[in-house]
Protein backbone atom coordinates (compact mmCIF):
# COMPACT_ATOMS: atom_id res chain seq x y z
CA UNK A 1 0.00 0.00 0.00
CA UNK A 2 1.22 3.50 -0.85
CA UNK A 3 2.06 5.91 1.94
CA UNK A 4 -1.12 7.86 2.79
CA UNK A 5 1.00 10.99 3.41
CA UNK A 6 2.39 13.19 0.66
CA UNK A 7 4.67 16.18 1.26
CA UNK A 8 4.87 18.77 -1.49
CA UNK A 9 5.89 22.37 -2.01
CA UNK A 10 3.10 24.46 -3.42
CA UNK A 11 0.09 26.68 -2.99
CA UNK A 12 -2.62 25.08 -0.87
CA UNK A 13 -5.28 27.12 -2.67
CA UNK A 14 -4.49 25.23 -5.90
CA UNK A 15 -4.92 21.73 -4.48
CA UNK A 16 -7.54 19.58 -6.19
CA UNK A 17 -8.51 17.61 -3.08
CA UNK A 18 -11.80 16.97 -1.31
CA UNK A 19 -10.92 19.25 1.62
CA UNK A 20 -8.34 21.95 2.23
CA UNK A 21 -7.46 22.73 5.85
CA UNK A 22 -7.23 26.39 6.74
CA UNK A 23 -4.92 27.49 9.54
CA UNK A 24 -7.55 29.93 10.75
CA UNK A 25 -7.74 32.32 13.65
CA UNK A 26 -10.56 31.91 16.13
CA UNK A 27 -12.64 34.69 14.55
CA UNK A 28 -12.97 32.66 11.30
CA UNK A 29 -13.18 35.99 9.47
CA UNK A 30 -9.91 35.81 7.55
CA UNK A 31 -6.42 36.93 8.37
CA UNK A 32 -2.91 36.68 7.01
CA UNK A 33 -0.84 33.82 5.65
CA UNK A 34 -2.71 30.66 4.66
CA UNK A 35 -5.95 32.01 6.11
CA UNK A 36 -5.86 35.16 4.00
CA UNK A 37 -4.86 33.24 0.86
CA UNK A 38 -7.74 30.76 1.25
CA UNK A 39 -10.27 33.54 1.81
CA UNK A 40 -8.95 35.58 -1.16
CA UNK A 41 -8.80 32.67 -3.61
CA UNK A 42 -12.00 31.03 -2.39
CA UNK A 43 -14.02 34.20 -2.74
CA UNK A 44 -16.89 35.65 -0.72
CA UNK A 45 -18.75 32.34 -0.19
CA UNK A 46 -16.20 31.22 2.42
CA UNK A 47 -16.45 34.44 4.42
CA UNK A 48 -20.26 34.32 4.18
CA UNK A 49 -20.26 30.76 5.55
CA UNK A 50 -17.88 31.75 8.36
CA UNK A 51 -20.05 34.73 9.26
CA UNK A 52 -23.05 32.40 9.42
CA UNK A 53 -21.16 30.10 11.81
CA UNK A 54 -20.28 33.09 14.01
CA UNK A 55 -23.93 34.24 13.98
CA UNK A 56 -25.23 30.79 14.94
CA UNK A 57 -23.17 27.92 16.37
CA UNK A 58 -19.87 29.72 17.11
CA UNK A 59 -20.73 33.18 18.49
CA UNK A 60 -17.47 33.30 20.47
CA UNK A 61 -15.35 31.96 17.60
CA UNK A 62 -13.69 28.60 17.04
CA UNK A 63 -11.69 27.35 20.04
CA UNK A 64 -8.03 26.41 19.67
CA UNK A 65 -7.61 22.79 18.60
CA UNK A 66 -11.11 22.50 17.12
CA UNK A 67 -12.23 22.37 13.48
CA UNK A 68 -15.30 23.22 11.43
CA UNK A 69 -16.11 22.95 7.71
CA UNK A 70 -17.49 25.40 5.18
CA UNK A 71 -17.87 25.53 1.45
CA UNK A 72 -14.63 25.98 -0.49
CA UNK A 73 -16.15 28.65 -2.70
CA UNK A 74 -14.02 29.09 -5.80
CA UNK A 75 -11.22 26.76 -4.65
CA UNK A 76 -10.75 23.46 -6.53
CA UNK A 77 -11.60 21.61 -3.29
CA UNK A 78 -15.13 20.84 -2.14
CA UNK A 79 -14.71 21.99 1.47
CA UNK A 80 -12.51 24.14 3.65
CA UNK A 81 -11.89 22.74 7.12
CA UNK A 82 -10.97 25.64 9.38
CA UNK A 83 -8.84 24.80 12.41
CA UNK A 84 -7.22 27.01 15.02
CA UNK A 85 -3.74 26.01 16.03
CA UNK A 86 -2.14 27.26 19.22
CA UNK A 87 0.30 30.14 19.43
CA UNK A 88 3.68 28.70 20.44
CA UNK A 89 4.88 29.56 23.92
CA UNK A 90 8.26 28.77 25.42
CA UNK A 91 6.75 28.73 28.93
CA UNK A 92 3.88 26.31 28.25
CA UNK A 93 3.67 23.04 26.30
CA UNK A 94 0.75 23.47 23.91
CA UNK A 95 1.52 20.30 21.94
CA UNK A 96 -1.87 18.71 22.82
CA UNK A 97 -3.66 21.71 21.28
CA UNK A 98 -1.66 21.36 18.05
CA UNK A 99 -2.31 17.62 17.94
CA UNK A 100 -6.02 18.31 18.46
CA UNK A 101 -6.06 20.75 15.54
CA UNK A 102 -4.92 17.91 13.24
CA UNK A 103 -7.17 15.28 14.87
CA UNK A 104 -10.23 17.54 14.78
CA UNK A 105 -9.60 18.40 11.13
CA UNK A 106 -9.38 14.71 10.22
CA UNK A 107 -12.54 13.96 12.23
CA UNK A 108 -14.41 16.66 10.30
CA UNK A 109 -12.98 15.28 7.04
CA UNK A 110 -14.31 11.81 7.94
CA UNK A 111 -17.72 13.27 8.80
CA UNK A 112 -17.79 14.93 5.36
CA UNK A 113 -16.70 11.72 3.63
CA UNK A 114 -13.53 13.38 2.30
CA UNK A 115 -10.94 10.97 0.90
CA UNK A 116 -8.20 13.53 0.19
CA UNK A 117 -7.16 16.34 2.52
CA UNK A 118 -4.51 19.04 2.11
CA UNK A 119 -2.94 20.56 5.24
CA UNK A 120 -0.66 23.56 5.70
CA UNK A 121 1.91 23.69 8.50
CA UNK A 122 -0.58 24.65 11.23
CA UNK A 123 0.85 27.09 13.82
CA UNK A 124 4.25 27.24 12.08
CA UNK A 125 3.74 30.67 10.52
CA UNK A 126 2.71 33.79 12.38
CA UNK A 127 1.84 31.66 15.46
CA UNK A 128 5.56 31.04 15.84
CA UNK A 129 5.76 27.27 16.40
CA UNK A 130 9.32 26.08 15.68
CA UNK A 131 9.23 24.47 12.26
CA UNK A 132 10.93 21.14 13.02
CA UNK A 133 8.71 20.56 16.06
CA UNK A 134 5.55 21.62 14.17
CA UNK A 135 6.43 19.18 11.39
CA UNK A 136 7.13 16.32 13.82
CA UNK A 137 3.82 16.85 15.62
CA UNK A 138 1.88 17.17 12.36
CA UNK A 139 3.29 14.06 10.71
CA UNK A 140 3.15 11.85 13.81
CA UNK A 141 -0.41 12.92 14.67
CA UNK A 142 -1.71 12.41 11.14
CA UNK A 143 0.06 9.03 10.86
CA UNK A 144 -1.50 7.89 14.15
CA UNK A 145 -5.00 8.91 13.04
CA UNK A 146 -4.65 7.33 9.59
CA UNK A 147 -3.18 4.11 10.98
CA UNK A 148 -6.32 3.63 13.08
CA UNK A 149 -8.02 2.74 9.80
CA UNK A 150 -11.22 4.50 10.78
CA UNK A 151 -12.92 6.74 8.27
CA UNK A 152 -12.81 7.84 4.68
CA UNK A 153 -9.50 9.71 4.52
CA UNK A 154 -7.11 7.90 2.18
CA UNK A 155 -4.55 10.63 1.51
CA UNK A 156 -3.20 13.57 3.46
CA UNK A 157 -1.06 16.00 1.50
CA UNK A 158 1.04 18.48 3.45
CA UNK A 159 1.38 21.51 1.16
CA UNK A 160 4.31 23.67 2.22
CA UNK A 161 4.92 27.18 0.98
CA UNK A 162 8.74 27.31 1.16
CA UNK A 163 11.82 25.09 1.08
CA UNK A 164 12.47 25.30 4.84
CA UNK A 165 9.01 23.96 5.66
CA UNK A 166 9.26 21.32 2.93
CA UNK A 167 12.60 20.10 4.34
CA UNK A 168 11.29 20.03 7.91
CA UNK A 169 8.25 17.97 6.95
CA UNK A 170 10.32 15.58 4.84
CA UNK A 171 12.68 15.04 7.78
CA UNK A 172 9.71 14.43 10.09
CA UNK A 173 8.34 11.86 7.67
CA UNK A 174 11.69 10.11 7.38
CA UNK A 175 12.11 11.00 3.71
Amino acid sequence: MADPIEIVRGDITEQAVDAVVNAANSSLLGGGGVDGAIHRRGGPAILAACRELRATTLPDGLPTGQAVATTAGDLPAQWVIHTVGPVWARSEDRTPDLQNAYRSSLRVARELGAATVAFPAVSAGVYGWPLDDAARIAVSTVRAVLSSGVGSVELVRFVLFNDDALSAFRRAAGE
Side-chain angles (χ1 to χ4, degrees):
M1 180 179 146
D3 190 347
I5 294 177
E6 287 181 356
I7 299 169
V8 301
R9 179 167 178 190
D11 181 342
I12 199 162
T13 68
E14 296 176 353
Q15 300 301 306
V17 292
D18 296 326
V20 168
V21 176
N22 179 21
N25 61 55
S26 63
S27 79
L28 295 177
L29 302 178
V34 169
D35 193 16
I38 285 173
H39 276 270
R40 280 190 302 277
R41 181 67 73 75
I46 297 173
L47 183 57
C50 288
R51 284 189 171 137
E52 178 65 20
L53 286 168
R54 289 300 306 274
T56 57
T57 57
L58 295 168
D60 297 324
L62 185 64
T64 300
Q66 299 302 305
V68 65
T70 66
T71 179
D74 297 329
L75 296 174
Q78 189 169 355
W79 301 286
V80 173
I81 299 171
H82 307 267
T83 192
V84 180
V87 174
W88 186 78
R90 183 181 310 278
S91 61
E92 179 185 353
D93 182 9
R94 297 179 178 167
T95 299
D97 289 332
L98 185 53
Q99 291 169 322
N100 285 337
Y102 285 99
R103 285 189 199 108
S104 296
S105 296
L106 290 170
R107 178 187 45 76
V108 169
R110 285 193 307 268
E111 290 168 358
L112 295 168
T116 54
V117 180
F119 275 97
V122 176
S123 290
V126 71
Y127 282 12
W129 205 285
L131 196 48
D132 283 326
D133 197 45
R136 177 189 59 77
I137 292 165
V139 171
S140 64
T141 303
V142 167
R143 275 218 171 109
V145 171
L146 294 180
S147 70
S148 72
V150 177
S152 58
V153 179
E154 298 170 6
L155 173 73
V156 167
R157 180 179 302 143
F158 288 104
V159 182
L160 294 316
F161 194 68
N162 62 42
D163 287 336
D164 289 342
L166 180 68
S167 296
F169 273 73
R170 285 186 171 159
R171 282 191 302 275
E175 293 182 12

